[in-house]
Every structure is written in C-alpha cells, then in structure tokens.
Amino acid sequence: MSFSHLSHVECGRCGARHDSERPQNLCVKCGSPLLARYDLEAVRSSVRPEEIAGRAPDLWRYHELLPVRSPESVVTLGEGMTPLLPMARYGARIGLPRLLMKDEGLIPTGSFKARGAAVGVSRAAELGVERLAMPTNGNAGAAWALYGARAGLAATVVMPVDAPEITRRECVASGTDLYLVDGLISDAGRIVGELVAASGGRVFDASTLKEPYRIEGKKTMGIEIAEQLGWRTPDVILYPTGGGVGLIGIHKALAELRELGWLSGPSPRLVAVQAEGCAPIVRAFEQGERESSYWEGANTVAFGINVPKPLGDFLILEALAETSGTAVTVTDEELLAELRQVAALEGTYVCPEGAAAFAAARKLRETGWIAENEEVVVLNTGAGVKYPQTVPVDAPVLAVDAHLV
C-alpha cells in the first residue's frame, strides 16, 4: 500500500504538468506556482475517514494526501491536530455564538508555518536537496530553519530587520545562516533569488509558493477542521492573508475531500483578512481584478501579513470567488484592541495576525455578511507570546513590605 498517492505537480495557472520526482520550483512555461496532484481514486480505495481516526494525532495521519513517498522520509516535531476551540464568551460579545478558533499557536515553533516546513523539508530532503534558502517575515524562516536542522539540511534565511526578534533567535539557535535586510520581504526575496541563481543548483529556493509542497502542509488545517467537525465544514473560515498559502491550501484540501466523497454540501465562504497598511488582495478583490498590484509603503504591526505582492495572488482571488467569499481590512488599532479583548474573555493570547481575523469577524457580523446563526472558524496562526511588544506593560512596582487591599 502506498504511503503517498502523489501523481504529479501541475501549474496553478496554465495547467502544465511537471515531474514530481525531482525538485521543482515554478512552472517552466509561465513562471507560476505549482500544485501537487494526487490519484484520488487510489486514495479512495486505500483509506476511509473512519480509519484515519485511529492514527496518531498529527498531520501525517493524512499521508495518502501528502507528497512524501516514504514514512522513513518524514521529518516531524509532532506538528498538527491543533484544537478547534469554542469561543463562547467572545462570540456572544460580537454576535457570533457559534464562533470557533483553530489555534495554531500550539504547534511546534509557535506558528502554523511548522506545517509547511514539516512537509516541505521532508519532501526536499527525500528528493536530495542539501541546502535551502528563503526570504521570510519571521515565522516561516524560523520553522524551516528548525525543521531543516532536524533533517540535517543547511539553510540560509533572509528576513526584514523589523521581523519578530524571537524568530531571529530560533534561526540562530538552529545554526542557520541568518541575514537581516533593511527593507521588506520583497527585498529579502530579491536577495535570495540572486543567491539561488548564482549557486549553480546547489541552493534550493524554498520561498513561498516557489516550491509546491509547503502548501501541502498548510492544507492539513482544512482537513483537520473537517475531521474535527465530524467530516463537515463550517459556514465561514477567516484567514489572515499575507502570502495566502494557508487559504489556498484550505481551499485545495476541501476540494480534494469533496472529490473523494468525504464531504458534501457547499464550501465554506473563505475570507482573506489584511491590514489597512498592506492590503493588495483586498484592493484587487474590490476592483474585480484577477491579480493584485504591488502595495507601496506596506506597514503593519501584524508582521506576518505584511506582504506587498503575493506570488499566489491569483490563486487567493480564485478561492474567494469560487466560495462566494470576501476580503476585508482592519486597522492596526482595531486588531490590537481585539487581541486584548480575546485574551480577556477567552484566556487565549493570540498573535496579531489572528487578532486581525477576529476583528474582521466582528466587522462582518456588524455588516450582516456573517449571520448570527452561522458557524464561523477563525484561524489564529501563531502564539501571541512570539510578539511581546503588542501588549505594553505599565504595572506599578511595589515595595517589598507593601500590602494590597
């Protein structure tokens, strides 16, 4: 029985088919991202949803729908199967009593980026890659650095100088070659691209959507949501969108599950959430465009979604259109206020990107786009403790002999 039923990789734009058994970056015909495709008939014949329930509680429980060929090639730190938590008190406050949070802050490395790193690094190592390079806003670089170390791969990471300090320390601790650039992730991307081009094939470009397997790790969020709900889907899923890999992955996963016959009914409406200071997807969506344009002067405290021009923008916009979804912005002030509100009512310290998604849920409920009786899932993509600067502390200092009344 095959561990994976990967068939090939396919261009997400022109549909050109590519060999999945050697390292791949972008489509050689049109330069667009490649997507992994599976023999779904073979998957349907080899496993049933009820059998998956007895497997280990990690993302590799879905290995037939993942690209790693051999169980011996799996590089893991125990990632996956994060909780789907009811947010009853906060949900009641904003008029969404059926609100749920998929909490990715509990995953290894403290963010959902570990999913993409686990699968991407595993497949890269299986295909013979020895050195990775990537630009990052912080968390992805930290995840790929640590998983790369676990796999015995060398790595070079370039991130903006303003990236979260903890993610820098994760890279350094792993032995990764870390460089900081006084600019944005797009500037880091240019530097990495030049390094890869000059390497003569010795360095593999693991940038967002420039290899086809990070998305496969991210898509397991969608499979988990469906399984945790008893193999059904919610009405709405809100996702903080920078590069948008998770949103694209969730949409891909649910389409595969539906084709397998494991899901029925309409797809959940997908919502791309961005900050007002960097909202290329929202602008493109509102203007009815099929691609985004570069967002000048990108800036937001939600650093993980500070991506001025996502490579997979057309795939994000397709996912929104195909699910009757939408795209919405929130201000930094709104998301920081929501972060405090969620923590005070639910005891969950979410990351600023997750807080942006909660602020968007509040906005969409107020406008009526989300109805009171709908089941809504918000993705909290990381642990709030990785962003300590989002909550300033000005507590009084007591003398050692002080008393409180």
Side-chain angles (χ1 to χ4, degrees), residues 252-323:
K252 181 177 187 289
L254 298 182
E256 289 171 351
L257 295 181
R258 193 163 282 105
E259 190 171 343
L260 284 169
W262 295 5
L263 289 177
S264 60
S267 295
R269 306 195 308 280
L270 298 179
V271 179
V273 180
Q274 298 198 297
E276 279 196 359
C278 184
I281 295 299
V282 176
R283 181 171 62 189
F285 179 84
E286 291 176 344
Q287 295 176 352
E289 302 290 342
R290 299 185 65 181
E291 296 181 14
S292 67
S293 54
Y294 187 88
W295 188 277
E296 298 290 344
N299 184 48
T300 172
V301 297
F303 209 72
I305 55 176
N306 197 37
V307 180
K309 178 70 167 74
L311 179 63
D313 51 6
F314 69 100
L315 294 169
I316 300 168
L317 292 163
E318 282 178 11
L320 300 182
E322 290 174 6
T323 64

Side-chain angles (χ1 to χ4, degrees), residues 223-248:
I223 306 176
E224 284 181 21
I225 290 170
E227 184 182 3
Q228 288 169 317
L229 292 176
W231 296 106
R232 62 176 182 82
T233 56
D235 297 296
V236 179
I237 297 176
L238 294 102
Y239 177 83
T241 304
V245 179
L247 186 146
I248 299 166

Side-chain angles (χ1 to χ4, degrees), residues 121 124 129-134 144 148 153-157 203-206:
V121 167
V129 170
E130 295 181 352
R131 186 174 192 90
L132 305 165
M134 64 183 301
W144 281 72
L153 304 185
T156 298
V157 171
V203 181
F204 181 72
D205 193 340

Side-chain angles (χ1 to χ4, degrees), residues 35-64:
L35 301 173
R37 300 301 185 195
Y38 298 86
D39 181 346
L40 295 181
E41 182 58 42
V43 174
R44 189 182 300 111
S45 300
S46 64
V47 66
R48 299 187 303 276
E50 54 268 27
E51 294 175 289
I52 290 173
R55 294 178 176 177
D58 58 37
L59 66 78
W60 299 100
R61 67 201 276 115
Y62 311 120
H63 58 78
E64 289 91 351

Side-chain angles (χ1 to χ4, degrees), residues 3 101 126 150 210 251-252 326 345-347 355 362:
F3 189 70
M101 176 178 70
E126 187 173 53
R150 187 156 178 83
K210 286 190 177 179
H251 182 53
K252 181 177 187 289
T326 192
L345 290 173
E346 299 289 355
R362 180 191 290 270

